[in-house]
Amino acid sequence: MRYLPLTEADRQSMLARIGAPSVDALFKDVPEQAYHDGDFDLPDFKGELEVERILRGYAGENLGANSVPCFLGAGAYHHHVPSSVDYLIQRGEFLTAYTPYQPEIAQGTLQYVFEFQTQVALLTGMDVANAGMYDGATSCGEAVAMAMRITKRKKAVLSGWLHPHYREVVETNAHFLGTEIHSEPSDPLTGTDLFALIDDETACVVVQNPGIFGHVRDYSDLAAACHEKGALLVMIVTEAVSLGALKSPGEMGADIVAGEGQSFGVQLGYGGPYVGLFATRQKYVRNMPGRLCGETVDEDGRRGYVLTLSTREQHIRREKATSNICTASGLCALAFTIHVALLGEAGLDRLAKLNHAAAVTLAEKLEALDGVELLTDSFFNEFTIRLSKPADTVVEKLAGKGILGGVPASRMMPGAGLDDCLILAATETATAEDIDRFVSSLKEALA
Amino acid sequence: MRYLPLTEADRQSMLARIGAPSVDALFKDVPEQAYHDGDFDLPDFKGELEVERILRGYAGENLGANSVPCFLGAGAYHHHVPSSVDYLIQRGEFLTAYTPYQPEIAQGTLQYVFEFQTQVALLTGMDVANAGMYDGATSCGEAVAMAMRITKRKKAVLSGWLHPHYREVVETNAHFLGTEIHSEPSDPLTGTDLFALIDDETACVVVQNPGIFGHVRDYSDLAAACHEKGALLVMIVTEAVSLGALKSPGEMGADIVAGEGQSFGVQLGYGGPYVGLFATRQKYVRNMPGRLCGETVDEDGRRGYVLTLSTREQHIRREKATSNICTASGLCALAFTIHVALLGEAGLDRLAKLNHAAAVTLAEKLEALDGVELLTDSFFNEFTIRLSKPADTVVEKLAGKGILGGVPASRMMPGAGLDDCLILAATETATAEDIDRFVSSLKEALA
Amino acid sequence: MTKDTYTGHRGLMLEEPLLFEQGQEGRTGVDLPEPAAVKSRLGACARGRSVALPGLSEPQVVRHFTRLSQRNYGIDSGFFPLGSCTMKHNPRINEKVVRLAGLGDLHPMQPESTVQGALRLIDDLADWLMKLTGMPAVAMSPAAGAHGELCGLMAIRSKLDSDGQQHRMRMLVPESAHGTNPASAAACGFTVDPIPANKRGRVDLEAFRAKLGDDVAGMMLTNPNTCGLFENDIIELAAMIHDAGGYFYCDGANFNAIVGRVRPGDLGVDCMHINLHKTFSTPHGGGGPGSGPTVLSDALSDFAPLPYVVKDGDHYRLVEHPGDADEKPFGRMKGFHGQMGMFVRAIAYMLSHGRDGLRQVSGDAVLNANYILASLKDVMTAPFGGPCMHEALFDDHFLKDTGISTLDFAKAMIDEGFHPMTMYFPLVVHGAMLMEPTETESREALDEFIGSMRFLAEKAKAGDVDRFKNAPQLTPWRRLDETGAARKPVLRWTPPGPDQQAAE
Amino acid sequence: MTKDTYTGHRGLMLEEPLLFEQGQEGRTGVDLPEPAAVKSRLGACARGRSVALPGLSEPQVVRHFTRLSQRNYGIDSGFFPLGSCTMKHNPRINEKVVRLAGLGDLHPMQPESTVQGALRLIDDLADWLMKLTGMPAVAMSPAAGAHGELCGLMAIRSKLDSDGQQHRMRMLVPESAHGTNPASAAACGFTVDPIPANKRGRVDLEAFRAKLGDDVAGMMLTNPNTCGLFENDIIELAAMIHDAGGYFYCDGANFNAIVGRVRPGDLGVDCMHINLHKTFSTPHGGGGPGSGPTVLSDALSDFAPLPYVVKDGDHYRLVEHPGDADEKPFGRMKGFHGQMGMFVRAIAYMLSHGRDGLRQVSGDAVLNANYILASLKDVMTAPFGGPCMHEALFDDHFLKDTGISTLDFAKAMIDEGFHPMTMYFPLVVHGAMLMEPTETESREALDEFIGSMRFLAEKAKAGDVDRFKNAPQLTPWRRLDETGAARKPVLRWTPPGPDQQAAE
Ligand SMILES: Cc1ncc(COP(=O)(O)O)c(C=O)c1O
Ligand SMILES: Cc1ncc(COP(=O)(O)O)c(C=O)c1O
């Protein structure tokens, strides 16, 4: 077997040194009745060529977003990843390293984590960010938990424009911890009046910008209202590219920002792995979940980086840790860091403008169609339309024509009365022809 | 432009230091009438996404050998390249290095070249090999030139089973150097009697094993006959995998071995870049073309490697050099080295057996068809058949059905009366289904 | 010997400032077309201020990260016996297939009809995992081991609640457990009750029995445990916890030791996470991503998280909402459907090994660890006898009176060209050194390591304290000041203040 | 300071023996299925003996080559001002597209109908090259620069022969020419007649005129020349050689200096190779592969090598045989149809830059070189005044009486973290140092380099001889014994003899 270097001669000489008659003898602590003969109903080993063929078989049964017009968003976005990103993250020194426990031989990882933290802080307008969480949804769950730790309160208010997956993760956690979650209903037309829901028990209000239906809003007033009641404002960002176009969460007064970093550098990959972003104010640093990398010096006084403040973490604090997270999403954070480094201010600005322009162009063309109503008044690269037919059947029809035509709201929010609502995103990858093909196909599908 | 780091501010400050008013002013030595305004009839710069789309456009107009049954050989072979090969050759320290002129910071390149030389020597059964040439055909040209240098004779005899491209390269060189080439006619049935052609003027006889029609032969007697007349035997290998199955050129008594290394580690890539193999006897080392890497020690006595015997080369010897080659095919040699390292003795043996088995299986099924005659008596993974119809039209028909069904002999040897001959190779990539699909489609095409 | 250079570079070891120290306005590493002129729909929300990202060109960025990578040590560099982390070879074919068109470029919310291959892959991987563990169900969405722990505990909690056992709040966790175990228990609302180890490095049966009671929800046991030992009483322990009305969570981080030989389902396990990034070789990536599918027993199989894949005849579907489920899912833990990229790599790894290869994996992993144990136990101290499973545990007894600590010893290993073993974990032995070679190391590599460890042990005993206290000395960075870093944390770059700028 | 380690490794700098020292019988890094049992058709030719390749597993091989790579310096590592070699950034998008299905997996002998995209790409690339050079034809098959030289010379020879000028055998080649120029001339049967440079580093016009005569076949001029200077009399020189009945071969290795600004066709050039691996950024790969398309003037365009692509309406075809050609091709130079993999990369590079970007390339390349020249000419010695083109040439005059040679200086640059410039070439100045920064270096990188060079020049003048004579000191290897290597060449590994084996 190509990955297993021991030869039979090795095994014999090693057993001789150990003083064991056989490899099986090394398993003598296993109760006899549980020692399996290895005769599983599974295939035998295969060469690389065969394995690749099998995997191509799976791939061939799918319709990849790179090969067709794609207008899906709802928490994952179809952006172009520069090829240097993908080359660099595959370098073995990055790919096959562990969490940087030995800083003297992990300065590569540590420096990029420090850079990642800085980028996330700059993008969100916050003071500090951590080294990343599993994904946006779990990051949201951690944000609510942190708000409850800080405020020592047990209630959270969730906007109806929060991504349903995020809401559900928060609710799952709350169910087991016995905390209280007030989730506003999802409605693409009316944002609910969250102000009225903040009281002295409220640990935090969670809003998403842009919201699940695409709306962009300035939540500065809401932040002030939260602070007045001693509550925190948690702001969620599922489309990180929007941070290049919108007033930052920090400027709006958010206390914790949690979000999804996939848009920078990470392939769609059917939903994961992605990387959760997590940023907050300086004063809350010691309440943060996840790893943190800090600057220091070595014995020769040379600048370097280490994991720090680990007394917050499970391996030191055990059941009192701020989170149970251990392995997070290092390589995706690296991809994010490289992509953002490539963009820089000018590239980010241009990228955001391109996304917005694509979405506005799409919206304008759709508004002109019979049977289509635009529900999102102001938006970045994503918006919701109401159709004259059920959205899920329309989407299936479009798929049949080789178009990935949006996410039916009902898929994430069944029973919310949104069966005719379709959530659409347009990014820099959508060409004018893609848009035209989609619009004309949609017109046909609605006819 | 993403690859150009200078900003306008940089340019201004740099011009100030230089004391030039503008970049254009730096070109003052260019005659005015030849300084172009840059208004070429060519497109403007493009982002990566757009460039990739354009390249995918080209790719989409071709039928890739990985996606269909492929039975083409004739000097390039469809083998599986392990993915670790492709990862490793893309590491920037290999990919973006130059020829190892500074050995202290090029030991990576130098050590693999030393390993490559050793592998080629082992595979061919020769004493020494060089660091590689452009490809098999040019390597063949260099072998003939070297034989002429050594023997101080000006005539070469080429077997009719030599790959026509190789023959043509030798003939082109000879035309300009005024040397004499005797090329035997190409005939898949009768190997010609080369013995009769060797005389006291003969610098070398060039044979190919397996030959262009697939024949394998033991050329030991021919070697003896050459040596008797003071001529050298040059042996060509276009399918390096065959070296895992056949008696080596060294064992047969060859003096120079030239060949194509593509089969190990190098993608088909429509014919290049590949890597020429070149090996010889110890006594001829100082007559070799191309770079050579040798073992040495550094000032601390540590083993290391350097380019050596460079007094043979153009940068020292100029018009008296053994060859004009400079840039050769380093990265392809690396791919070869890695693939051969992965195979090892056991892997090579298995790979060669698989190739032979696939070809024998194919031959057996074809022999059973009406309208097909097998012309090659003994072969490795390639053989020639005679069809009841012109081979080129059959191949076109098969292509229409998505099968790459061999190389018509007439494409390489027009006018040789071989219009009905088809050269077929089968490798480890041919599945049983591929073979069956080909055989039944061929049957149809011949019906 | 000249030591100083003008640049600070040292031959091939090249300095590299932060990205933020290299920016220039207007410079970028991507080219994007001019956006179409449209009427902005950003409303009142348009950004007014600069984000202040530095501008670098592509060549600069490539060089930056190339240089950073050169300061790292990975499995590709050398021997990486980090106990409990299973740092095995990461095959490149896995990196290739995860990027295939039709896998790498699937949007998670595509209609089911366009992702049948993806769903089939998830289902096939689930089948492998169920067969290898002998368990009837598996939750695929957990993002890593700790997340899988949470998943299993939530399933236990849900089952208890559904049986009216709301009062069972106490979770028994050995002292040797990984930190994520108690942390996950707490994240699920349990209280943690530690159980001690016995002299043989296993759960103390009597102490365990004494902890049982009506409020016990279950136990979290790692097997093989974090001392690298198989819990020989495991079947008995499982029976005891079941008799007491609790459930058995097994931490499967060490599954590599037994894959293809022991099925946790045969040991009485109720749920167990599997770190695909350990046993099934998906790369650790300098801290993730991972993936932690969690197998569930019959008792718990109804209580899985959403979403999951169901096969209806030839068609695969995703159950995403409680209303669509026949079972009693406890809800969603994560966005979308799990770490698909890790699933693709893991199934490629499994297919490559097959049934027979996986059995060889555990055999060779255990053989390699025992070889290390047998070769070092005379010069280092092994607190528990052999045979061990896939990792060899030593304590710092052999360093007694040398003034050298486990940390010092580890740093000297760095000079020797190795990544150190896991240190100070598990907590049940003093100055622990936990060495996990994995099956992808050759005997030659082990012999070199063993020789080096014997050399170091000798030097330590011979009083060559300097070699350890000052280690590492041969790395681009010497020991870093962790205390200083924590005292006054600098967690990001900030632009130099006006004073500093003026000084430049 | 502890210097010795048991393993010989030093932190991140890891020792790595030869592959052949790591083999074990039966071990392999590939898994292949059992071959079907067939009756052998190898005849009398079956292999009897072992090849004796070492057996390594995949993890060992990956580690081996990873470690080797870590001893190399590439453009991705840092500044690489190797004059005449144009070590510019190699974009990764080019590496991606060359591997696309439908490009990477095309067999060269596929029927034309299945490779229309490939042929179109070759034709489009040819179009770019012709437009950028202002030439009417281009031969695509040469494999590198030297091969392109040979191609151009063969075209000249063929044209001369076809015009009854068989007696023209003398080729004029400046002394400053690259070694491949005279070597290629000889490989084409010409005799080489050197022409000297004048004090301004250009061809000496009078000396040149004196060499003309009835037996002159042509001249080989590099422009910009190897001193990094534009041959200002080039149009005159071209006219002179034409008047004398000869042809003008231009070595286009330095095309990067003028791309988008000067068309060789406007200078009277008859043929010129273009190193795609220089100007158009296909990676040098540690010594190739390259690609050397050769543009041809009207006079020579009929005399191209085979094969070539012809466009018939919408269909592309390959002309592979003289019988199919309307022109008078001189024959084949290479297997198949050229370095397709380099064509793909080059066209991706060209499309990325576009017309405007390419013009910026030459502008920035020349600006960078002049910046170096202007910043160093007071401490180093520049034999010819400025402005230079894309490279700055210094000689060793400034090292006079220091006892330090150009070689020593270069080795000290290695300690400083740079790849040295080209040394001792061109031959027309003493102890030449030829620095080509390329356009893909930032001003910041140049400033660091300039600072370092000034520092070294100062140290040299201050008599810090040690820093140079003992350099490099900070690299994993010190200076290597090249004389010893050449005296008794060891060009391959050989198995240890019976004595050595016994001793092990
Ligand atoms: C024994 C044990 N349990 C749990 C974990 C946590 O797994 P993860 O890092 O995937 O969250 C680890 C990881 O190191 C471990 O070693
Ligand atoms: C001026 C000059 N001419 C010709 C060549 C030869 O080109 P190649 O190495 O591609 O054969 C070079 C390469 O270094 C060169 O610098």
Side-chain angles (χ1 to χ4, degrees), chain A residues 98-99 101 134 291 314 324-328, chain C residues 83-86 143-149 176-181 184 222-226 249 251-254 273-278 284 289-292 391 425 434 436:
Chain A
Y98 202 76
T99 303
Y101 289 149
Y134 300 136
R291 309 225 186 255
Q314 45 75 25
N324 69 333
I325 197 168
C326 178
T327 294
Chain C
S84 212
C85 298
T86 315
H147 209 219
E149 295 168 16
S176 61
H178 192 264
T180 50
N181 287 195
S184 298
T222 309
N223 187 47
N225 70 23
T226 61
Y249 184 91
D251 181 329
N254 295 342
H273 78 258
I274 297 162
N275 308 62
L276 295 186
H277 46 300
K278 297 184 178 181
H284 279 92
S291 179
E391 44 197 3
F425 173 81
L434 186 65
E436 179 181 9

Side-chain angles (χ1 to χ4, degrees), chain B residues 1-5 10-11 14 17 24 27 29 35-36 38 40-41 43-46 52 58 61-63 65-66 73 76 86 90-99 102 104-106 108-109 111 114-115 117-118 126-127 135 137-138 165 168-169 172 176-177 217 244-247 251 267-270 272-273 286 294-300 302-303 305 308 314 318-319 324 328-331 342-345 350 356 367 374 378-379 396 411 414, chain D residues 15-19 21 28-29 32-33 41 45 47 49-54 64-65 68-69 71-76 85 87 90-92 96 98-99 102 104-107 109-110 113-115 117-118 120 124 131 146 157 177 179-180 182 184 186-188 202 232 257 261 263 284-289 320-321 332-336 339-341 351-356 359 364 368 371 375 411 439-440 443 476-479 481 486 490-493:
Chain B
M1 213 282 141
R2 62 192 179 275
Y3 306 146
L4 303 178
D10 287 332
R11 293 193 187 99
M14 291 164 75
R17 179 172 308 166
D24 285 317
F27 289 84
D29 286 328
Y35 196 59
H36 197 280
F40 294 88
D41 175 24
D44 277 352
F45 84 100
K46 288 191 171 52
E52 190 174 328
Y58 290 116
E61 294 166 10
N62 305 318
L63 185 65
N66 285 349
D86 203 44
Q90 289 187 70
R91 284 180 58 83
E93 296 90 335
F94 285 137
L95 186 79
T96 74
Y98 202 77
T99 304
Q102 299 287 348
E104 300 87 352
I105 49 174
T109 299
Q111 184 168 333
F114 189 80
E115 293 173 339
Q117 291 175 179
T118 306
M126 303 300 282
D127 297 332
D135 71 357
T138 59
H165 290 178
E168 289 161 31
V169 169
T172 300
F176 291 101
L177 290 171
R217 289 288 184 271
L246 302 181
K247 198 166 162 181
E251 283 177 272
Q267 67 174 10
L268 280 173
Y270 201 51
R286 286 172 202 265
E295 187 181 311
T296 188
V297 290
D298 79 353
E299 285 185 359
D300 298 334
R302 188 152 177 236
R303 178 172 74 174
Y305 306 90
T308 191
Q314 45 75 26
R318 300 180 74 89
E319 63 268 29
N324 70 332
S329 203
L331 206 71
L342 282 166
L343 286 165
E345 188 74 13
R350 176 65 70 94
H356 188 55
E367 279 180 305
L374 179 67
S378 57
F379 56 84
E396 277 297 345
R411 173 155 177 196
Chain D
E15 290 290 299
E16 184 63 18
L18 291 168
L19 287 168
E21 294 161 342
T28 176
L32 296 165
R41 304 236 190 163
C45 228
R47 182 158 68 95
R49 298 193 308 196
S50 143
V51 173
L53 292 174
H64 178 77
F65 289 98
L68 292 197
S69 75
R71 296 146 187 219
N72 262 15
Y73 190 103
I75 307 168
D76 282 3
C85 299
M87 297 298 282
N90 298 145
R92 252 56 193 199
K96 182 175 182 188
V98 77
R99 288 164 170 85
D105 61 344
L106 296 182
H107 189 286
M109 300 305 276
Q110 289 186 207
S113 62
T114 66
V115 291
R120 182 166 68 88
D124 287 353
K131 284 183 175 149
R157 179 78 270 161
T180 51
S184 299
C188 192
R202 273 87 170 179
N232 1 28
R261 291 174 191 263
R263 301 187 308 177
H284 280 92
E320 296 182 285
H321 298 284
R332 174 179 284 277
M333 301 189 67
K334 189 183 175 307
F336 307 118
Q339 303 283 65
M340 182 68 177
L351 287 165
S352 296
H353 283 80
R355 188 186 52 83
D356 46 348
R359 189 176 163 83
D364 286 355
N368 278 353
Y371 186 63
S375 304
K411 297 298 179 192
E439 73 283 1
T440 61
R443 194 207 14 91
W477 274 262
R478 308 276 312 281
R479 274 194 223 187
D481 180 5
V490 178
L491 304 178
R492 59 170 285 187
W493 173 86

